[in-house]
């Protein structure tokens, strides 16, 4: 599937190191993190295609182990930009996270979980 140019800033490949900002994609699921230093302002989740009733959540991982849920299940909204159809959910976080911790998103019913590493 072709990704619109405006979506490139939100969707990357693999795990992306970041200074509380970055993107990653794992199959049809993508994550975008916006922040400064170790402080995260917002987390965005994308799912390729339209899937009515899709739900996403954000979790924190450190050293390959689950730490805690950052934000619980939230219904996504369907969007289309330049012919690219996707589900979208966003959370205002406004919290500081430990160096080298990972924020991950997952969509209910999908086994993919992309993560962004928070680094100084």
């Amino acid at each position: 599937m072709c990704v619109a140019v405006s979506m490139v800033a939100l969707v990357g490949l693999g795990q992306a190191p970041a200074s509380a900002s970055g993107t990653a994609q794992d199959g049809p699921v993508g994550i975008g993190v916006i922040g400064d230093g170790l402080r995260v302002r917002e987390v965005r989740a994308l799912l390729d295609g339209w899937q009515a009733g899709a739900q996403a959540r954000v979790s924190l991982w450190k050293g390959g182990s689950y730490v805690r849920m950052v934000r619980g299940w939230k219904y996504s909204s369907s969007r289309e930009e330049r012919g690219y159809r996707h589900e979208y959910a966003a959370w205002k976080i406004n919290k500081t996270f430990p160096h080298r911790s990972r924020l991950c998103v997952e969509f209910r019913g999908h086994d993919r979980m992309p993560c962004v590493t928070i680094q100084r």
Side-chain angles (χ1 to χ4, degrees), residues 21-115:
S21 289
T23 61
Q25 183 155 354
D26 187 0
V29 180
I31 181 175
V33 176
I34 301 167
D36 302 304
L38 298 176
R39 186 166 194 80
V40 172
R41 290 191 317 264
E42 186 174 349
V43 174
R44 299 173 181 173
L46 288 175
L47 177 63
D48 289 343
W50 281 346
Q51 296 184 19
Q55 293 179 318
R57 65 180 175 181
V58 182
S59 56
L60 178 66
W61 295 71
K62 180 87 174 168
S65 298
Y66 173 83
V67 176
R68 66 181 170 88
M69 191 62 46
V70 176
R71 293 291 186 265
W73 293 111
K74 179 179 185 175
Y75 284 98
S76 62
S77 59
S78 298
R79 293 188 174 187
E80 182 174 1
E81 295 178 27
R82 298 185 184 195
Y84 173 66
R85 295 178 175 182
H86 60 279
E87 294 295 320
Y88 173 87
W91 298 263
K92 298 292 184 193
I93 305 293
N94 294 319
K95 293 187 186 259
T96 300
F97 293 93
H99 178 60
R100 293 192 181 155
S101 60
R102 295 173 26 162
L103 288 176
C104 305
V105 297
E106 63 181 303
F107 275 87
R108 194 179 296 262
H110 292 269
D111 61 353
R112 303 298 180 99
M113 189 172 67
C115 301

